[in-house]
Amino acid sequence: MKHKHVSVLIVGGGLTGLTSALFLARHNIDYLLVEKHADTAIHPKAGGITFRTMELFRQLGLEEAIRTTSKPLDNIRGRIAVETIKDIDLAELKQGESTQKEIDNKIVKMIEKISPSKAASCYQMNLEPILLQAAEKGKGHIRFNTELVTYQQDDLGVTATIIDRNTGTEEIIRSDYLIAADGAKSSICKHIGIPTTGRGVIGGHYINIYFQADLSTFLQGSQFGFYQVLNPEVFGALITVNNRDQWIYHVAYDPSKGDRPEDFTEERCREIIKKAIGVPDLDFVILSTLPWAAVERTATRFQDNRVFLVGDSAHLMPPTGGFGSNTGIQDAHNLAWKLAAVIHKQAHPRLLETYHDERHHAVQVTTKYASDLLFSAVNKGISTLNNMDHLAVTVGYKYSSKAVIEQEPTTHRMDRLELNGRPGTRAPHLWVNYQGKCISTLDLIDGNFVLFTGENNSLWHTAAQNVSSHLGITINVYSIGSQGDLVEREDSWETLYDVTPHGAVLIRPDGFVAWRTKEGESNPNLILKQVMTSLLW
């Protein structure tokens, strides 16, 4: 057998696995990613990308490419209920589009105040090739058609056996750490035996039928993204894939009545589509089918010594709200900088324990909200959302761990978005002029720690240089003000970050505030050394 050593072995080449690879490469960490399938996804699923996730893709330099790919779905919005697609009242449709557009514009304006990025619609089958292409240009190795056979870990690392499914050749891989991004049926999670919590299937079982058809006669350029079909024979939902001629139809089935996914033959699926559209002689082609279920399930632990669960291997939530894949990508982002700091010997391995502490809580908040959205929809508008705010769930959750230093007594709220520089929350977005360009403060979070200060920051700058040299970790320092490195364009950084002109805010490599001093410190060198040592060691 061949033997190879890498810092991190990633098992799974879906969205979470590929983004894990990209985030690790950004921190100059070598990895090997193995994926048992021969290629990236071929079926449309996981289409919604939140603005927070787009911020992460912005950091990777992929925002523009993803935005271009998602352009056909830019104006897709809202939902409407009809008996069949043929029965759509076009006047009602136009009125509904107009109302939905007004709602969406309000949301867009709210997001523009808090983020440099916008949400996008890009199905996994279109997004994965973009991520793969970017990963192949960077540090690390990716092997499709390669499967994890077995692994064992010890105090110093992980020894795994992988197999090339084409040739049958086995290989032993020695890694410092293993990331389990192998999906909802994770063999790694089962091997570890980590218990799960959650109510299991809470929204039913479905067959997702991907087909190609010209429906322009009935929709006439409609921009709706979700058509609820009420025909009791084929009750389900039609969703556009490319806003032209590709669609997916979700139809429910009931295992308790003996229904099985394999019962949905191509002939049966064709009959379902014809009845849903309301046209017996409809001309269309079925491209693929995929069973799925709305599930609520979370592992009780996201870490087992040197093994980390990310994405669907760690948690499953209903698709309502579109949080699932986004949550997994944010898992990968949280974990990557911590692995890098430990591997580069810039932090104690204890830092890795904060991955579970932070992400498990964020996942619980998000899963509850997604489930409540589902139950609210099923109950026809009866709210069970417990006053959680959608934007707060998207980007306003707060981390509490040893990787955050906070001394503020008030409780963090989730009924409204609060991004005010509080430690544990995502650093506020502020448009500034920097070196002749207009950028967001979030654009300066480049994988290192960042220290924002007032204009007169010579003591902070010296302190950062001293601490960086002492700990062997980079701290980038930026003064903000009319004569600073960064000049505010509209809002005041002091107001947004809740500091005085003498204050300072330390931001982690993942864009979350690690520590803040509102009034300043008499001995910046000492306090910054204490803060960084507490965070990392």
Side-chain angles (χ1 to χ4, degrees):
M1 290 186 184
K2 295 180 181 179
H3 292 69
K4 181 182 177 72
H5 179 272
V6 293
S7 295
V8 181
L9 174 63
I10 304 170
V11 180
L15 292 179
T16 307
L18 288 170
T19 49
S20 294
L22 287 166
F23 294 138
L24 287 172
R26 192 164 178 258
H27 291 284
N28 200 32
I29 296 297
D30 66 313
Y31 64 84
L32 170 63
L33 182 152
V34 296
E35 165 56 52
K36 66 180 180 180
H37 293 102
D39 207 341
T40 53
I42 60 173
H43 193 94
K45 55 183 179 178
I49 307 176
T50 66
F51 67 89
R52 172 56 185 158
T53 302
M54 287 298 285
E55 290 174 3
L56 307 188
F57 289 142
R58 181 186 181 94
Q59 292 177 7
L60 294 171
L62 299 177
E63 185 178 33
E64 185 176 345
I66 294 170
R67 184 75 58 202
T68 299
T69 302
S70 71
K71 195 171 183 61
L73 300 179
D74 275 355
N75 296 317
I76 295 301
R77 55 176 57 87
R79 61 175 63 203
I80 191 171
V82 295
E83 186 68 22
T84 69
I85 300 302
K86 182 183 178 182
D87 296 328
I88 285 177
D89 183 324
L90 292 176
E92 180 184 348
L93 198 62
K94 294 299 180 185
Q95 179 59 45
E97 284 182 353
S98 178
T99 301
Q100 187 63 45
K101 187 174 183 179
E102 291 179 9
I103 296 172
D104 287 354
N105 286 340
K106 291 179 181 178
I107 296 173
V108 167
K109 289 180 180 178
M110 293 171 65
I111 293 174
E112 285 176 347
K113 292 181 179 180
I114 60 175
S115 176
S117 300
K118 298 188 298 183
S121 295
C122 185
Y123 283 101
Q124 186 171 346
M125 67 178 188
N126 298 321
L127 179 56
E128 284 185 359
I130 296 174
L131 303 179
L132 177 60
Q133 184 179 26
E136 289 176 335
K137 292 178 181 178
K139 189 180 183 73
H141 302 276
I142 298 175
R143 299 187 200 173
F144 279 79
N145 230 349
T146 303
E147 188 170 6
L148 175 72
V149 177
T150 185
Y151 80 89
Q152 58 184 3
Q153 55 179 319
D154 52 50
D155 292 340
L156 299 178
V158 180
T159 302
T161 301
I162 61 174
I163 186 169
D164 185 315
R165 300 181 74 187
N166 279 327
T167 65
T169 302
E170 290 190 349
E171 185 175 350
I172 294 176
I173 303 296
R174 180 70 175 171
S175 64
D176 299 320
Y177 298 97
L178 186 153
I179 294 178
D182 53 341
K185 298 179 181 179
S186 173
S187 61
I188 296 173
C189 187
K190 292 176 182 177
H191 174 78
I192 297 171
I194 295 178
T196 61
T197 60
R199 291 168 283 187
V201 178
I202 60 173
H205 295 81
Y206 301 86
I207 297 294
N208 179 327
I209 307 171
Y210 176 32
F211 69 101
Q212 186 168 23
D214 180 4
L215 303 181
S216 58
T217 301
F218 317 112
L219 303 180
Q220 295 190 9
S222 164
Q223 299 294 298
F224 270 83
F226 190 102
Y227 302 87
Q228 184 76 63
V229 174
L230 303 178
N231 182 342
E233 291 187 74
V234 291
F235 185 84
L238 178 75
I239 302 173
T240 184
V241 172
N242 64 357
N243 199 24
R244 191 176 66 253
D245 63 347
Q246 292 182 16
W247 312 86
I248 45 179
Y249 191 74
H250 298 273
V251 62
Y253 71 96
D254 189 349
S256 68
K257 295 181 179 179
D259 293 340
R260 303 173 303 166
E262 52 266 37
D263 295 333
F264 287 80
T265 62
E266 180 170 344
E267 181 180 354
R268 183 177 177 183
C269 288
R270 290 188 65 83
E271 290 304 310
I272 290 170
I273 298 302
K274 289 177 183 178
K275 290 180 179 179
I277 306 303
V279 180
D281 58 350
L282 181 70
D283 182 23
F284 66 101
V285 176
I286 291 180
L287 302 174
S288 62
T289 59
L290 186 73
W292 68 278
V295 176
E296 180 189 281
R297 186 175 75 228
T298 305
T300 56
R301 291 183 289 119
F302 289 179
Q303 178 186 5
D304 179 52
N305 192 14
R306 290 176 174 268
V307 178
F308 299 88
L309 307 181
V310 297
D312 286 355
S313 70
H315 48 76
L316 292 171
M317 62 189 70
T320 36
F323 293 106
S325 61
N326 293 281
T327 307
I329 291 168
Q330 288 156 40
D331 291 343
H333 190 244
N334 180 285
L335 178 61
W337 78 269
K338 297 173 181 177
L339 280 172
V342 172
I343 291 169
H344 289 317
K345 301 190 184 307
Q346 297 168 333
H348 192 281
R350 281 191 299 265
L351 176 65
L352 298 175
E353 297 172 7
T354 67
Y355 167 66
H356 167 83
D357 296 339
E358 295 179 351
R359 290 306 301 163
H360 192 268
H361 173 69
V363 165
Q364 286 182 313
V365 169
T366 308
T367 299
K368 174 172 174 47
Y369 184 71
S371 296
D372 285 350
L373 280 176
L374 176 64
F375 291 135
S376 181
V378 169
N379 292 333
K380 299 181 180 179
I382 299 174
S383 178
T384 59
L385 299 182
N386 295 320
N387 297 319
M388 278 199 285
D389 177 81
H390 189 90
L391 291 182
V393 175
T394 301
V395 73
Y397 48 85
K398 176 181 172 293
Y399 291 151
S400 296
S401 76
K402 293 181 179 179
V404 174
I405 299 174
E406 184 187 25
Q407 299 163 336
E408 301 182 27
T410 57
T411 301
H412 181 70
R413 301 177 63 168
M414 288 298 291
D415 60 334
R416 68 185 186 194
L417 182 63
E418 290 186 336
L419 293 176
N420 55 8
R422 180 172 184 167
T425 61
R426 198 270 268 147
H429 149 69
L430 173 68
W431 289 117
V432 294
N433 288 331
Y434 176 61
Q435 297 182 346
K437 295 181 180 179
C438 175
I439 66 168
S440 167
T441 45
L442 300 186
D443 294 329
L444 297 169
I445 300 167
D446 61 353
N448 295 315
F449 279 87
V450 171
L451 185 68
F452 287 146
T453 72
E455 287 180 326
N456 301 317
N457 76 337
S458 58
L459 292 178
W460 282 114
H461 200 278
T462 300
Q465 287 181 325
N466 292 338
V467 174
S468 294
S469 177
H470 177 73
L471 295 179
I473 193 164
T474 300
I475 304 174
N476 295 325
V477 186
Y478 301 95
S479 59
I480 307 178
S482 60
Q483 302 300 315
D485 302 315
L486 312 176
V487 180
E488 304 111 318
R489 291 178 62 89
E490 297 175 0
D491 299 313
S492 160
W493 100 276
E494 295 166 20
T495 300
L496 276 181
Y497 281 78
D498 192 17
V499 292
T500 69
H502 304 290
V505 179
L506 181 68
I507 302 170
R508 308 187 323 187
D510 61 351
F512 279 72
V513 178
W515 167 81
R516 172 176 65 181
T517 175
K518 294 186 179 184
E519 302 293 339
E521 300 291 338
S522 59
N523 190 337
N525 191 73
L526 176 62
I527 190 68
L528 188 59
K529 182 179 178 181
Q530 290 175 341
V531 165
M532 291 298 296
T533 301
S534 176
L535 291 172
L536 299 175
W537 292 97

